[in-house]
Amino acid sequence: MTQNSFRGKTVLLTAGPTQEPIDPVRFISNHSTGKMGYALAEGFAERGALVQLVAGPTNLQARHENIKLTKVTTADEMHAAALQLADAADVWVFAAAVSDYRPRTAADKKIKKTGNELTIELVKNVDIAAVLGQRKKPGQFSVGFALETHDESTNAREKLRKKNLDMIVLNSLNDPGAGFSHDTNKVTILEQEATTAFELKQKSEVAQDIINLIWDRLHG
């Protein structure tokens, strides 16, 4: 594969967590650092792609000139940004850890401690990959991520089908060194008719494995 193998291609890539506000000082989120998504962004950019990176709150910086960063906070903001960019992209990679639920209402002032219990009503967030999957056009290639703790392959394949993905990257919290907060990851890539497993690697190397397989499928 040449250095500029993705030249002329646009990649829409979501990364990092989302934060769903409870009040001005509290929010619902997860442990995602965005490292895997940013490694993918750098990898695609180094191969010549224009990368439209839609990222939730992280401490990371996108350094390559081919990466166009859109910062968002909530799932709704990430959905709106991805929707705006999706039609012009050749490849979609949904690497963000989007919060599944958000508070139905966010208080405009800090909630004070007034009792032994606090009930917060949660509502489901939009499934960005699934919504965009319904409007995917011929020639567009979509990749999702699945972080699982049990029935890993079964759950990932169900997401592959429901979200109209071409490929899903599965990682398990049961694998040491994989998942949130680590600089390493261990993934299995599932497709409709294929499964490709990789050993534990640095996330920068995992990104290259994913990008290489996407390139193979686009040119196979």
Side-chain angles (χ1 to χ4, degrees):
M1 188 185 306
T2 65
Q3 182 69 21
N4 295 317
S5 55
F6 278 87
R7 183 175 297 279
K9 299 291 187 182
T10 299
V11 177
L12 166 63
L13 201 154
T14 67
T18 64
Q19 295 177 353
E20 312 300 329
I22 296 171
D23 64 16
V25 299
R26 303 178 182 92
F27 55 81
I28 294 172
S29 190
N30 55 63
H31 297 295
S32 174
T33 61
K35 290 178 181 178
M36 191 69 253
Y38 273 70
L40 283 161
E42 294 288 344
F44 276 114
E46 289 169 0
R47 302 282 182 89
L50 169 63
V51 181
Q52 295 285 0
L53 175 60
V54 180
T58 76
N59 294 320
L60 304 175
Q61 292 184 345
R63 302 184 183 280
H64 200 285
E65 62 182 5
N66 287 3
I67 300 174
K68 309 302 180 186
L69 176 62
T70 301
K71 293 184 178 181
V72 298
T73 301
T74 67
D76 281 347
E77 291 171 355
M78 184 171 283
H79 174 230
L83 197 62
Q84 186 175 11
L85 297 166
D87 285 346
D90 304 285
V91 178
W92 302 341
V93 181
F94 302 104
V98 182
S99 298
D100 291 328
Y101 293 89
R102 70 180 188 277
R104 181 177 292 277
T105 58
D108 58 0
K109 295 180 181 179
K110 180 182 177 181
I111 299 172
K112 302 302 290 183
K113 184 168 56 178
T114 57
N116 292 329
E117 295 182 357
L118 173 66
T119 300
I120 300 173
E121 185 179 4
L122 302 179
V123 295
K124 187 176 287 188
N125 271 326
V126 62
D127 188 324
I128 298 170
V131 169
L132 289 182
Q134 295 175 359
R135 55 184 289 166
K136 186 173 67 171
K137 298 179 294 187
Q140 290 183 312
F141 193 90
S142 60
V143 181
F145 273 69
L147 178 64
E148 302 292 343
T149 61
H150 62 284
D151 298 331
E152 289 96 339
S153 294
T154 300
N155 290 332
R157 286 205 173 277
E158 184 67 7
K159 291 178 181 179
L160 182 73
R161 181 186 65 81
K162 283 187 173 181
K163 301 184 183 189
N164 193 25
L165 299 168
D166 297 287
M167 180 184 294
I168 192 162
V169 181
L170 168 64
N171 48 172
S172 170
L173 285 181
N174 295 317
D175 290 326
F180 295 133
S181 302
H182 298 288
D183 291 324
T184 54
N185 205 359
K186 181 181 180 181
V187 304
T188 300
I189 299 178
L190 306 178
E191 304 167 80
Q192 292 293 343
E193 304 295 335
T195 300
T196 309
F198 297 91
E199 296 302 316
L200 185 73
K201 298 181 180 183
Q202 292 292 315
K203 284 184 175 176
S204 58
E205 297 176 291
V206 175
Q208 295 301 326
D209 289 335
I210 295 169
I211 293 168
N212 288 342
L213 197 54
I214 293 171
W215 191 90
D216 287 345
R217 296 302 180 257
L218 291 175
H219 296 85

